[in-house]
Amino acid sequence: MTLSELLPSLGCEAADHLEPGLWPQGTKLGEGGELLFAGAPVSHLAARFGTPAYLLDEEQVRETARAYRRAMPEADVAFASKALCTRAVLRWVAEEGLSLDTCSAGEIAVARAVGFPAERILLHGNAKTPEDLKAALQYGVGRIVLDSLDEVEQLGALAHGAQRVLIRVTPGVSGDTHAAITTGTEGQKFGFSLRPDVRDNVDRAVAAVLSQPSLQLTGLHCHIGSQVSRVDRYEEAARRMVEVLVHIRDQYGITLRDLDLGGGHAVPYADREASFDLDGYARRLRVALSYECLSHDFPVPRLTIEPGRAIVGPAGITVYRVCAVKRGARTFVAVDGGMSDNPRPALYGARYTARLVGRRTKAARTPMTVVGRHCESGDVLADVCLPDDIHVGDLLAVPCTGAYHHSLASNYNLVGRPPLVGVRDGHATLLVRRETEEDLLRRC
């Protein structure tokens, strides 16, 4: 979408409020144009920790974790650590009673560093290395999700005893999301197909696992994509997965009791974007599973879900400092970060909003494009309305940056990655320090 196409939706009304649903719950407007984040002035945090900086509201992370447990007390809620994997965050979710979804030996290492209970950890991924599998076995993770016939053979040779495993299934359900983050349809690199004419299909996977005495097949796994807002997509996935469980019972004489439906629950990044109805999801999914199982005389399986973005995304903001303002046919506001700390606009066409913080102004707000410092035309962070008197040194805050920003950050143009700062009740704690030139030189 071009800037001219966005203009009618931008509106450019006075910035005397925070867009509902976009900013962390503990964020408020203060005096003199200040933004209070979890009780701390953002301009003070920027002065203390520098910019760009990721800020994370600890209490909101914890409260969202509790909200998932309240909504689905019968389910195992596993935090998808790929969204934001740091020692502090894993400690928080462990204390709130969540399980953990990991994808690599590195993520397992972070979990191990904070003593995350191994039996509450899952490992999955479409191409696990021998190091990933060995790390999982060494720590004793509760479940490993198998994604290929080669992986079944490799894990069977490495495991001792009876390692519990799930088989990842491609359910043939679209999440109605961006193609780059759709994972539940045919033609994806993830999971085993339901089609009998495909070599790596579910039947062959089940037979392969059952032939390995060191593996114990306990259930199935699926994931239909990320940024999924339609609950009916999850209902359809649940119905299809129950059909697969019934087929396995009838074909192999075993009743698998675990069903992992993945995560991918949507969060809004810009005004008027869809959010996820957690209570509706819990209610409708419970009904869909119960009805489908009753229809097939199959016991309702133990459910696992894997929210990641939904738990940490809305709890974070990023603070930038303006480096340049270029006015012409289009006004560009260049900041001291960009696609190295937020590649999502370039990867998925993600839209964000931004606002001036730290000073009050009566200047009219006009459409502008916030861009980063990197040598790419696609290094665009947001098309927004900002005060016409914006200038070098001003601070901009971007909401909903707690997920997949720190995780996806890079050193493009050899720019150091920002710090991650946890804030609670007005007190700030450095969770991950800023990357320095000395850090970069160690690897160059």
Side-chain angles (χ1 to χ4, degrees):
M1 184 178 291
T2 66
L3 183 58
S4 60
E5 291 171 326
L6 279 169
L7 294 186
S9 64
L10 290 179
C12 288
E13 67 277 2
D16 57 357
H17 70 284
L18 295 174
E19 297 91 339
L22 293 185
W23 296 85
Q25 295 170 4
T27 307
K28 299 177 181 178
L29 293 177
E31 296 181 357
E34 186 58 83
L35 189 68
L36 300 176
F37 179 82
V42 167
S43 62
H44 293 189
L45 296 174
R48 177 180 171 186
F49 296 101
T51 57
Y54 303 122
L55 308 180
L56 190 66
D57 185 334
E58 177 184 347
E59 183 55 35
Q60 180 162 335
V61 173
R62 289 179 177 274
E63 173 53 35
T64 306
R66 292 192 288 266
Y68 266 92
R69 295 196 67 197
R70 286 194 301 268
M72 305 194 71
E74 76 280 16
D76 183 15
V77 182
F79 172 64
S81 64
K82 58 183 173 288
L84 182 59
C85 189
T86 74
R87 283 177 289 188
V89 172
L90 297 199
R91 192 178 300 114
W92 298 345
V93 298
E95 291 171 354
E96 297 301 335
L98 270 57
S99 293
L100 190 67
D101 156 32
T102 64
C103 295
S104 70
E107 291 178 353
I108 292 173
V110 178
R112 192 168 189 168
V114 299
F116 204 105
E119 66 275 10
R120 284 159 50 189
I121 298 178
L122 300 91
L123 172 71
H124 68 69
N126 71 295
K128 303 177 195 67
T129 66
E131 290 72 24
D132 297 332
L133 296 175
K134 290 175 183 176
L137 293 170
Q138 184 179 25
Y139 194 44
V141 304
R143 289 167 287 175
I144 297 177
V145 181
L146 297 170
D147 205 275
S148 69
L149 295 176
D150 290 327
E151 198 168 87
V152 174
E153 183 177 350
Q154 292 169 21
L155 183 61
L158 291 170
H160 300 285
Q163 172 63 52
R164 288 181 294 155
V165 299
L166 308 178
I167 290 174
R168 180 162 179 172
V169 175
T170 306
V173 176
S174 170
D176 290 335
T177 186
H178 193 283
I181 48 178
T182 294
T183 58
T185 56
E186 288 290 337
Q188 301 292 327
K189 67 178 184 177
F190 302 100
F192 290 92
S193 174
L194 295 178
R195 291 173 47 184
D197 60 322
V198 174
R199 180 184 180 275
D200 284 16
N201 61 33
V202 171
D203 278 315
R204 294 198 62 179
V206 172
V209 172
L210 295 179
S211 72
Q212 297 286 343
S214 61
L215 305 182
Q216 178 187 0
L217 181 60
T218 64
L220 301 178
H221 176 286
C222 76
H223 181 72
I224 62 174
S226 296
Q227 274 297 86
V228 180
S229 60
R230 291 181 52 182
V231 174
D232 67 318
R233 301 291 81 202
Y234 290 102
E235 291 177 299
E236 179 62 23
R239 286 191 287 267
R240 295 196 184 187
M241 295 299 286
V242 170
E243 290 175 357
V244 181
L245 290 170
V246 171
H247 168 75
I248 292 172
R249 179 195 63 184
D250 297 344
Q251 184 74 22
Y252 298 94
I254 57 174
T255 300
L256 302 180
R257 302 301 301 268
D258 291 335
L259 177 59
D260 189 329
L261 290 178
H265 306 162
V267 300
Y269 286 93
D271 199 19
R272 291 184 286 276
E273 283 191 349
S275 57
F276 190 72
D277 180 5
L278 175 57
D279 290 332
Y281 165 81
R283 182 178 63 256
R284 291 171 59 178
L285 189 60
R286 196 174 289 122
V287 170
L289 274 176
S290 298
Y291 178 82
E292 198 67 27
C293 289
L294 182 64
S295 299
H296 294 283
D297 192 26
F298 193 90
V300 176
R302 292 183 294 265
L303 186 63
T304 299
I305 59 172
E306 301 172 355
R309 181 196 316 268
I311 290 179
V312 292
I317 70 171
T318 302
V319 185
Y320 300 100
R321 195 170 295 278
V322 175
C323 293
V325 180
K326 187 179 293 185
R327 303 179 188 276
R330 185 176 183 179
T331 299
F332 293 99
V333 178
V335 297
D336 54 359
M339 65 189 303
S340 62
D341 60 77
N342 181 9
R344 294 188 67 256
L347 288 174
Y348 315 135
R351 290 180 55 201
Y352 286 82
T353 190
R355 68 175 295 123
L356 174 71
V357 299
R359 71 176 177 89
R360 188 179 300 279
T361 175
K362 295 183 179 180
R365 298 174 74 237
T366 58
M368 301 183 188
T369 299
V370 181
V371 297
R373 60 179 296 185
H374 299 284
C375 301
E376 300 284 344
S377 297
D379 185 18
V380 176
L381 291 175
D383 286 304
V384 293
C385 290
L386 293 170
D388 200 44
D389 65 351
I390 193 165
H391 55 72
V392 171
D394 276 338
L395 294 174
L396 293 182
V398 176
C400 201
T401 63
Y404 298 106
H405 289 68
H406 173 81
S407 296
L408 289 171
S410 74
N411 293 129
Y412 185 43
N413 292 152
L414 284 187
V415 173
R417 287 171 287 189
L420 176 66
V421 181
V423 187
R424 187 177 189 182
D425 297 328
H427 300 287
T429 304
L430 184 63
L431 307 182
V432 180
R433 65 172 175 83
R434 184 181 300 280
E435 200 166 30
T436 66
E437 291 181 359
E438 182 180 353
D439 293 325
L440 299 176
L441 289 171
R442 287 175 179 168
R443 302 187 65 235
C444 289

